[in-house]
Structures are given as C-alpha cells and as structure tokens.
Amino acid sequence: MTEVAQPSRTQPEQAAFPMKRTCPFAPPPGYDRFRDARAHYVELEHTGQRAWVLNRHEDLRAMLNDPRFSSDRFNPGFPVLFKDGQQRRPRLRPSLIAMDAPEHGPARRSVVGEFTVKRMKALQPRIQEIVDQHIDAMLAGDKPADLVSALSLPVPSLVICEQLGVPYADHDFFQQHSSRLLNRETGFEERGKSVEAMQNYLSDLVSTKETAPADDLLSRQIAKKREEGDYDHDDLVSLAFLLLIAGHETTANMISLGTVALLENPAALAAIKQDPGKTLDAVEELLRYFTIAEFATTRVAVEDVDIAGVTIKAGEGVLGLSYAANFDPDVFPEPEQLDITRGGRHHVAFGFGAHQCLGQNLARMELQIVFDTLFRRIPTLRLAAPVDQLPFKHDSGVFGLYCLPVTW
C-alpha cells in the first residue's frame, strides 16, 4: 500500500462516526477511504471534535498495548460518539473499562479469577441446562419464534445474573436500561436517568450482600476486599454495573448474529454439525467477522506518541477501528469470507492489552454451547424473514439484532 504524508491538523477530513453498516456481514463501506494510509486526522461531524483514526491490525494492537493511551472516558480529548456529544461524569468512580494504571491493574486482578477457564468449565453444566430449558420452551411455543427473546437474550442474562448474584426476576428492568444506555440516540438527560437508576438498584443489591452474603461474585468480592482491608461499596457497584451490562448485551447479540451467519453459510453450518470440535473455531471467526463492540478500542493520548507513521499529541483522541483491523487483508486474507478454518484467534474483537475483555472465556463458552445445542436439537432451523428485512441495531454501541424470526 502507498503511504501518504502526515495528515494535516489544520485541514482535517470530515468523518461521520459511527458509520452505518449497509451490509451486516461487512464493515461500513466508508471505511474503504481509510485504507490509503495507516492514520487519518478527522473532524467528527456531529460534535466538531477532532481525533485520529487507526485502521490497521498492527497499529491498533500497538496502541492498545501502550500505556500512553488512556481509557478515561471523561478526558476532554476522548472522542464521544453519542448523539448529543456529551458524557456525564459519573457519581461513582469509573469502572475497569475507564481506568488507567496504576489503579487498573490491581482492580482487574482482584476479579479476574472469577473468569478463568477453570471456573468457566465449572459453570458449563449449568449453562447447558439453561440453554436446553430455553430451547425446550421455544420448541413448545408458536412458530415462527423470535430467537432474541426466546434464547439469545435470556441465556446470557440468566448466566450473568447467577454469576453476580443479581435476581433474574429484575431482568426487564436492567435490560431496558442497558439498551437505552447503549443506544447512541439516547439523549443526555435520559442517559443520566438510566445510569442513576442502575446505580441505585445495584447499590441496594450490594448493601444486601454486605449483611447477607451468598455464593456469588459480588459476595466473594466483598469478603475478599474486606480481608485485604480495602473494601469500597461504591467501587463494587461500579464493577457490578459494568459486568451486568457487558455480560449479557454482547453475548446476546453474538448469538443472534452468529445464528444468521451460519444459516446463511450452509457449508460452515454443516461442518460444525458434523464435527462439534470445530465450533470453537467458528466462534472465533464469527467474533472477527462481526466485531460488534468496535469502538471499545477508543482512546486518548496522555503523552506525545509516534505511531502509525504520525505523531499523536497529548490530549488527542484516537478512534481505533477494530472492525477495520479485523478485516485487514494483510492479516486476514480474503477477510470478507466467513472461514471457520481460518484459525484467527489474534483478532481484536475482545480488544487487546491491559483492557482485553475480562469475560471472553465466558462468552466463548456460552456461544459454543448455544450453537452446538441449537443446531443439534433443531437441525431444520431456518430464518423466517429475508436477511435484508431483519432489524439490525444500527443505532447501538453494540451491533446486533432487535429480533430474529426463525422457524423449523
């Protein structure tokens, strides 16, 4: 590829992020313009903010692994992609996703043991039971069924609720607020009300566990932090807020999107039906293929940094286009092809570096169990509407589907 001169700060390019995916199986066509150079300097049309755009796999991983780039969402230079371009400073201290060193490391280490491969394997029988129960109910119900409400959303919601110790009976409440917070069209005031409602709910829940602990992640964190002498009620509320939203929204959308992609790719579906050992490889490829939380890799420089052939100055924001990076042809040949034999676990759908997704082991296992079970138990499953008529989440910070009609 031909390199170009360093982009001009005096004449930045105009860019409308987030760009709409005109095809659910490919990055927005507007991303093609960024392939001519490793870095671009843009002015965001909806806010007037200026930021750098990185689109190549190598540069994105380098940026995400460099402590000179901050995850602080409330740094003035951090690019904002909401409709009104405002970020509300939280009442509580930011959670892991917005922390930097030195606070981030200890905070992450205190909870990472809850998401080890060993602990996830211990959860496997219960997750299998949950999946089977919801497929039983779907098969006993009417056709066509909505896979989102029947399986995709309730399975990861119930799993994360049981893991955290959140009553699943309250799922309508937190799912409604989660959806509102992830929707880029939600206004500043409405967003603030949802944040406050969720924080108040989780604060009451943590207070209950402080006096009546149970066998769940939040109770174990209370005991562990008290023993170490650094327990903080509000910090645990922030952690619960992050894990509850991230723990169900991302996996739910990947279940729906993965089901569509496999049904639209009969060879790939036949391969995992014949050999379930290939399902985990299919999961990795689906994660790359959709990259549903592509702007989780947004950062802001806290020092001047030479990267991608340019100098990014302290205070300048960076949009790391993880979707573009996962379609980098130098790393993933013919990236537009869904190839479950690719073996591309080095994708950045879970991010990279210190902030790589905490729950990735859980997400992989849930997806593997769901796809294996769904297509084994309902081998004639098919879409009940054309793909171009499905309601994709073009307005959400996590790409997915609002509903998915299926029959069999």
Side-chain angles (χ1 to χ4, degrees), residues 2-5 7 33-40 53 55-56:
T2 303
E3 300 293 348
V4 298
R33 64 187 269 207
F34 297 109
R35 285 283 176 207
D36 66 346
R38 293 167 59 191
H40 289 254
V53 173
N55 66 90
R56 297 192 189 173

Side-chain angles (χ1 to χ4, degrees), residues 327-344:
F327 270 62
D328 186 337
D330 291 338
V331 181
F332 305 101
E334 298 184 314
E336 69 284 352
Q337 299 297 319
L338 181 71
D339 179 4
I340 68 170
T341 68
R342 190 185 297 276

Side-chain angles (χ1 to χ4, degrees), residues 154-165:
V155 167
S157 294
L158 187 51
V159 170
I160 196 64
C161 280
E162 290 189 359
Q163 190 177 16
L164 293 178

Side-chain angles (χ1 to χ4, degrees), residues 181 195 198-199 202 236-246:
L181 288 169
V195 169
M198 288 280 285
Q199 287 179 340
L202 291 169
L236 188 56
V237 173
S238 290
L239 178 65
F241 187 103
L242 171 66
L243 295 180
L244 181 59
I245 294 178

Side-chain angles (χ1 to χ4, degrees), residues 207-229:
S207 293
T208 298
K209 294 182 182 300
E210 287 168 350
T211 56
D215 182 18
D216 55 57
L217 184 152
L218 296 180
S219 296
R220 288 190 291 272
Q221 283 291 297
I222 292 169
K224 179 179 180 181
K225 289 292 189 178
R226 280 175 169 169
E227 185 177 341
E228 294 170 351

Side-chain angles (χ1 to χ4, degrees), residues 16 67 97 115 196 198 227 270 322 355 363 385:
I97 197 171
F115 296 93
E196 185 176 4
M198 288 280 285
E227 185 177 341
S322 55
H355 283 275

Side-chain angles (χ1 to χ4, degrees), residues 329-393:
D330 291 338
V331 181
F332 305 101
E334 298 184 314
E336 69 284 352
Q337 299 297 319
L338 181 71
D339 179 4
I340 68 170
T341 68
R342 190 185 297 276
R345 192 163 176 150
H346 52 301
H347 61 74
V348 289
F350 285 126
F352 187 71
H355 283 275
Q356 193 169 32
C357 177
L358 189 67
Q360 60 183 292
N361 292 328
L362 176 59
R364 286 186 173 102
M365 186 172 66
E366 287 181 285
L367 291 168
Q368 183 178 17
I369 291 173
V370 166
F371 293 142
D372 277 342
T373 309
L374 179 64
F375 294 115
R376 172 176 52 81
R377 295 196 55 193
I378 316 179
T380 60
L381 188 76
R382 65 184 186 274
L383 299 180
V387 172
D388 60 5
Q389 293 180 16
L390 296 178
F392 290 96
K393 293 183 176 181

